[in-house]
Amino acid sequence: MRPLTEDETKAVFEKLSKFIGDSLTALLNRADQQYCLRLHRCRVYYAPEPTMKRAANVQRKQLLSFGTCLGKFTKSNKFHLQVTALDFLAPYAKHKIWLKPSAEQQFLYGHHVTKAGLGRITDATPQYAGLVVYSMSDTPLGFGVAAKSTLQSRKADPMALVCFHQADIGEYIRSEATLFG
Amino acid sequence: LATSVPPTFDLGLLLINNPNPLDPASTRGPELEPYLAAVARENAQSLLSEIWQRLPAERVEDAVVAPLPPPSTPLPREKPPPKPKPPSRWEEFARLKSIRRNKKEQAVWDEATGEWRPRWGYGRADPSKEWLLEVPASADPNEDQFGRLKKEKKERVAKNELQRLKNISRNMRLGGTLPALSAGGGGATSSSKELKRALVVAKRSDASVGQFSAKVGGEKVGHLQGRRRHFLPNTGSLTAERGIQEQVLKELAARRTDPLNTERAVNRLQQQREQSGDAANAVDGRRRPQKKKTAGKVSTEGGKSRRQNARDSKSRKYKKAAASGRANQKMKSLMKSKTLGKRK
């Protein structure tokens, strides 16, 4: 486990700011406890400092996870967001998309969202913005990237893709083995 | 018929050796200079033809090149031969007293562990690593024996270093050269760059890879020299980490080009226009009473300033665009729907 280098911090913050924008400072400067970001086996963990100190006492090979895993760095040092970060990022989401009940299941299986499944979308969403995907009952389902801006999606035909799938809560069951390394 | 000796060549030195004597008749008078030039030209010509004849030519990036063989003519020394190193004080003493070096075995019998240990290096029986030291009868009982050993070792090392430097200074005084640095590649520290390289290598040639080597005045050390990467400490003060995070956040904020999000404002305006247009043109078969609109022309209430007119013209432009949109939609709805009543 080690703190992130400058390049790694930049990659993580860029990704997070696509989804939560300026609220990134709220994640870092918290009132209750000092939270920190740590890198362990290519995964970025977000944990309060006392938890991190305790986790530092575990052997590297035997430490599975601590705090919340925000995402992982790939072999070519790109940062991918994981669904385990949903609880922390959903309240601060800048752009949201609500899915119709018929499209929920498709999204939870890992497919992209078509116009036919689009319930609501935050207005003035630019194209390729980071989205947090909700169901109609305001349950966060996962992360996505806007394939079309709000205006474009209004004029799109029903089979066109509106949101690219990035992570969903169905992964807790589908990718159980790989989600925690 | 004068027989001329063929010239010999040393192609490694680009040397042609023409032993034929100069023609005595031509060396007198005004023909001297042209004669000498002619002789030189002929010799040069034969040298070049010998090069291209004898040596295999290669082609290197649109140039024909012939590699020269090593020179065969022995040349005299360029620099004076090196002086023998004057003996150090110990060497002088040993010579006088005829003390000879005893070749020592590498392994020594260690009584404590009951095995053969190397005399030096890894795995040696180091007295400074003893866990138990007896206090000798002649010593002060409150004296720290371990500290005493450490101090004595330090003093011995310092004395040795002093002797070594004294020897070097004596050498220099008697006209010698500085001893070669082994890190510099066997004495090749002629340029300042090689010297710097030797310093870097020497500093990192210890167990902690130079982390604790003191910085010599004016030395510039690259922060990633060596294979080891340096990370921030995991626990402890988080200020350095915070600093990096603040820095990155600042950079991200600086990259944001549109803080007011004009796109959002424009989208909102357009949506409002569309919504109000939709409400007016309900497509359900019933005609709603429509206000009469003057197409295109706008009346000017007298006495308005130019700026007010400009502002009005802008809002007029939007209204016009919206109105034309509404008009189009009305037409479309009329075309599509079947009106039950009469059309006005």
Side-chain angles (χ1 to χ4, degrees), chain B residues 192-267:
Chain B
S192 66
K193 217 161 83 166
E194 282 166 356
L195 202 61
K196 280 178 192 166
R197 180 73 196 147
L199 174 65
V200 163
V201 171
K203 277 186 74 163
R204 73 164 186 235
S205 309
D206 57 12
S208 47
V209 208
Q211 271 183 6
F212 306 112
S213 305
K215 227 165 113 161
V216 180
E219 186 192 329
K220 272 185 258 178
V221 182
H223 77 288
L224 279 182
Q225 262 173 9
R227 276 183 299 153
R228 288 212 177 169
R229 283 175 67 191
H230 297 280
F231 299 122
L232 291 172
N234 193 18
T235 49
S237 139
L238 298 180
T239 45
E241 208 183 313
R242 278 271 167 273
I244 288 182
Q245 285 175 353
E246 300 289 322
Q247 179 78 24
V248 174
L249 282 174
K250 242 193 269 179
E251 280 177 29
L252 284 181
R255 265 200 256 162
R256 206 162 295 133
T257 50
D258 182 21
L260 291 176
N261 207 348
T262 49
E263 194 192 322
R264 193 189 198 108
V266 166
N267 289 346

Side-chain angles (χ1 to χ4, degrees), chain B residues 13-69:
Chain B
L13 292 173
L14 292 178
L15 173 75
I16 172 170
N17 199 352
N18 191 342
N20 299 306
L22 295 175
D23 179 21
S26 316
T27 51
R28 292 191 196 104
E31 312 128 21
L32 173 64
E33 285 301 319
Y35 173 66
L36 290 177
V39 166
R41 189 174 59 244
E42 278 164 22
N43 284 327
Q45 184 64 60
S46 41
L47 172 65
L48 285 174
S49 55
E50 182 70 17
I51 286 173
W52 292 115
Q53 236 175 24
R54 194 56 59 87
L55 301 176
E58 296 164 5
R59 198 174 179 82
V60 172
E61 280 180 30
D62 37 270
V64 188
V65 159
L68 297 176

